[in-house]
Amino acid sequence: MVLTSDLSLHEGLRRGMTLAVLLALVPLLGCEPRPKGPGGHTASLTCPRPQTFLTTQAFNVQEQEIRALRRQAFAGDFFAQIDLARRYGGSDAEARKLHDPVEAAVWYQIALSNPDGYAPVVVGAQGQRRGGRLQDCREAERLGAYNGLEHLLGRMSSEERQDVRDRVIYVLSTQGAPGFRTLARLHDVGFGPFGDPLDNSPIDPRDLKGRRPPASATLFTRNDVDVYLFNYLAAQSGDVAGFVMLKDFERSSSGRAALGTDAQAKAKRWTPPFEFYPPQAPESGVPLSDESLRAGEAEALALARVDELPFIHVGHALAFLRVTDKPALTKASLSTTEVQAFQAMLGRPTTGRLSSLEEVRAIQYAAVNGQARSQLTLAVMYAEGVGVPRDYARAFHWFSQADRQGNAEAKYAMSTFFSLGMEGVADQDKASAVVYQIDAALAGFKPSAQRLRELLAQVSRAPRT
C-alpha cells in the first residue's frame, strides 16, 4: 500500500497514540455542531480539542493562543492547523482583527494535506476502518476546510495564490522528510489534490473532470519532475519511506525513471522559497511568526556554533534593520528595549534576552531585506555550518545575491565556487572563475588582487629552454 510505505514507524506510533487519546475523549466530550466557516458552509460535526486549545480570559490572550497554535501547526498538528486557518479566516468577531486570507488559505491547504486528517484511525482484521465518531468528525473537519479554502482561493489574484504556494512549500520543507513526501504527493497525479488517497478526498471526483475544476485542485501543478525532486530530497535525508516512494515512482514507468538525472541535479540546487517565514502582521499586531526550528542533530550542532561568529555581524544587521542607531560590538551592549523591539518584529516572546536563534534571524532578516554585508555573512554561515546547517546550495544563493550588489568578497567567493566546483551546485568552470577573480580585484578585494598579480606574473614569465 502506498499509504503504509509513506508513513515511517515513528510517525505511525505517534499518530496512533494521539488518535487513540482523542478517540478516548470522544465519548466524554462528544462531537458538537461546527460553526460556519469563512466559506459560509457548515459541517455537522467538529472534533473535540485538547484543553490547550480552549480559550481563557486573560490579558493579550489572542496573541498567546495564536503563538501556541503556530508552534503546534508548524510541528504538524492537524487540529491546530485547522483552528489556525479559521482564526485567520476571520470566522468570528474577535478573529476579524486577525483577518488574513492568504495565511488562512496556507493553513487550510496544509491541514488538508496532513496525513493525520485522512489516515485510518483503526484498521480491523479484515482491513475495515473503525474510526467511529472520531472518523466522522475528521471527515467533517476536512470538508469544512475544503469549503473554506475554495472560498478564499476563488477571491485571490494569481500573485496571492503564488504566495500561498510558496508559504506551503516552505512550511512543509521545514518538517524534513515527512514534509518532502507530502510535497511529492501534492504533485503526483496518483494522489488526490491534497496528496490524499483518491477515494478519500473531500473533492468529488466528478468535479475534477469538469471543465472548470475546483481552485484548490489547481493550486499545485501535477508534474513528474517535482514528484521525483521531493521524493529524492526525502530519501537524501535517510528517510526509508522516502526511498521506497522514490523507487516505486521510478519503477512505475520507464519515462519516470529517465527523469532521475535532471531531477537529482535540480535537487542539489533546490532552496526553499523563503529564508524564514515572512514576519508580516495583520491589523491585530500579532506577527506571522516562524516556528520552524527542528530539534534535529544538524540544526542543534549548527546553532551551538553561533558563538564562533563575531557579534559585530549581528550588530550590523540590527543597525540595518534600524533596531539600533549604530552596530553593537557585543551582545551585552544591546539594551533590553532594543532586544524586545527586534523580538517583536519577529513575533517572538519579548524576553529582552537575545537567543542564538534570534542572532541568526537578525542576519537572515537583514539579508532578505537587501543588506549585502549580511548576505555575504549568511553565505559563509551556510558554507561553514555555523548557526545554520551546512547547505552549499543556499551558500551559493546568498553569495550570488551579494555579488549582484557588487560585493567584492562575494565575487571572490564565487570565483572559488567555479574554480573548484561545489557539490553539484556550481559546476567547475575555470573561465568563469577567472572572470570573478578579476571583478573582485577591480572591486578592491586584496586576496583576489594578489592572486591576480601572481597569475599575470606566471603568464609574463619567460618560457623555460
Side-chain angles (χ1 to χ4, degrees), residues 72-94:
Q72 295 172 72
F74 265 92
D77 188 295
F78 169 73
F79 296 115
Q81 291 163 355
I82 290 282
D83 288 351
L84 196 57
R86 288 178 184 164
R87 295 292 188 92
Y88 285 120
S91 57
D92 56 57
E94 275 301 306

Side-chain angles (χ1 to χ4, degrees), residues 378-402:
L378 187 55
V380 174
M381 290 166 64
Y382 274 118
E384 298 295 326
V386 174
V388 289
R390 182 169 286 147
D391 188 326
Y392 291 120
R394 290 199 190 194
F396 186 77
H397 168 76
W398 287 112
F399 276 131
S400 301
Q401 293 298 309

Side-chain angles (χ1 to χ4, degrees), residues 3 12 15-24 116 118-136 138:
L3 183 60
R15 290 169 178 160
M17 292 176 65
T18 302
L19 292 171
V21 172
L22 288 172
L23 191 59
D116 283 349
Y118 58 76
V121 177
V122 179
V123 178
Q126 304 300 320
Q128 301 96 340
R129 296 179 183 177
R130 296 204 306 265
R133 298 176 70 185
L134 180 57
Q135 186 76 26
D136 294 338
R138 290 193 309 162

Side-chain angles (χ1 to χ4, degrees), residues 100-103 105-106 152-167 219:
D100 187 333
V102 170
E103 194 68 4
V106 167
L152 293 166
L153 292 178
R155 289 158 176 76
M156 284 186 186
S157 65
S158 57
E159 291 79 10
E160 289 172 322
R161 290 193 186 192
Q162 183 61 52
D163 197 5
V164 172
R165 275 191 294 272
D166 287 343
R167 295 188 194 195
L219 190 59

Side-chain angles (χ1 to χ4, degrees), residues 414-423 426-430 433:
M414 293 287 284
S415 76
T416 303
F417 266 83
F418 284 113
S419 178
L420 302 176
M422 275 292 184
E423 297 286 328
D427 297 329
Q428 193 176 52
D429 186 340
K430 298 293 186 181

Side-chain angles (χ1 to χ4, degrees), residues 72-346:
Q72 295 172 72
F74 265 92
D77 188 295
F78 169 73
F79 296 115
Q81 291 163 355
I82 290 282
D83 288 351
L84 196 57
R86 288 178 184 164
R87 295 292 188 92
Y88 285 120
S91 57
D92 56 57
E94 275 301 306
R96 287 190 190 113
K97 298 177 183 178
L98 292 164
H99 185 59
D100 187 333
V102 170
E103 194 68 4
V106 167
W107 292 108
Y108 275 135
Q109 171 67 42
I110 292 176
L112 287 163
S113 306
N114 190 337
D116 283 349
Y118 58 76
V121 177
V122 179
V123 178
Q126 304 300 320
Q128 301 96 340
R129 296 179 183 177
R130 296 204 306 265
R133 298 176 70 185
L134 180 57
Q135 186 76 26
D136 294 338
C137 285
R138 290 193 309 162
E139 289 178 1
E141 296 272 13
R142 295 189 76 232
L143 179 60
Y146 163 62
N147 289 329
L149 180 60
E150 276 298 296
H151 174 81
L152 293 166
L153 292 178
R155 289 158 176 76
M156 284 186 186
S157 65
S158 57
E159 291 79 10
E160 289 172 322
R161 290 193 186 192
Q162 183 61 52
D163 197 5
V164 172
R165 275 191 294 272
D166 287 343
R167 295 188 194 195
V168 169
I169 291 171
Y170 173 81
V171 173
L172 291 176
S173 71
T174 67
Q175 296 175 1
F180 285 129
R181 284 187 267 114
T182 298
L183 284 168
R185 293 194 302 271
L186 284 172
H187 292 88
D188 194 338
V189 294
F191 293 87
F194 304 115
D196 45 4
L198 286 168
D199 61 352
N200 195 22
S201 177
I203 302 180
D204 190 322
R206 291 172 295 184
D207 293 338
L208 296 175
K209 297 178 181 178
R211 279 187 171 183
R212 189 176 180 182
S216 55
T218 60
L219 190 59
F220 287 89
T221 304
R222 306 304 186 95
N223 69 93
D224 287 346
V225 173
D226 281 332
V227 178
Y228 199 113
L229 164 69
F230 290 116
N231 278 330
Y232 181 81
L233 288 172
Q236 284 295 100
S237 66
D239 182 66
V240 176
F243 179 78
V244 171
M245 288 186 68
L246 180 63
K247 292 305 174 184
D248 286 346
F249 182 78
E250 288 180 328
R251 286 193 290 264
S252 62
S253 74
S254 58
R256 287 179 164 181
L259 297 172
T261 302
D262 291 339
Q264 289 178 27
K266 184 178 179 181
K268 290 178 180 178
R269 294 176 170 85
W270 187 84
T271 58
F274 302 111
E275 183 60 28
F276 64 101
Y277 206 83
Q280 303 166 10
E283 293 181 4
S284 65
V286 183
L288 307 180
S289 58
D290 187 328
E291 309 296 340
S292 64
L293 182 65
R294 302 195 307 273
E297 183 178 356
E299 289 80 6
L301 289 174
L303 205 56
R305 296 183 61 192
V306 168
D307 290 341
E308 298 177 24
L309 182 72
F311 190 80
I312 186 61
H313 296 296
V314 179
H316 276 288
L318 291 174
F320 174 80
L321 296 169
R322 299 186 179 182
V323 174
T324 60
D325 294 330
K326 59 182 180 179
L329 298 177
T330 64
K331 190 186 300 188
S333 63
L334 292 172
S335 70
T336 300
T337 303
E338 289 170 336
V339 174
Q340 288 177 328
F342 178 61
Q343 289 171 330
M345 290 170 64
L346 294 174

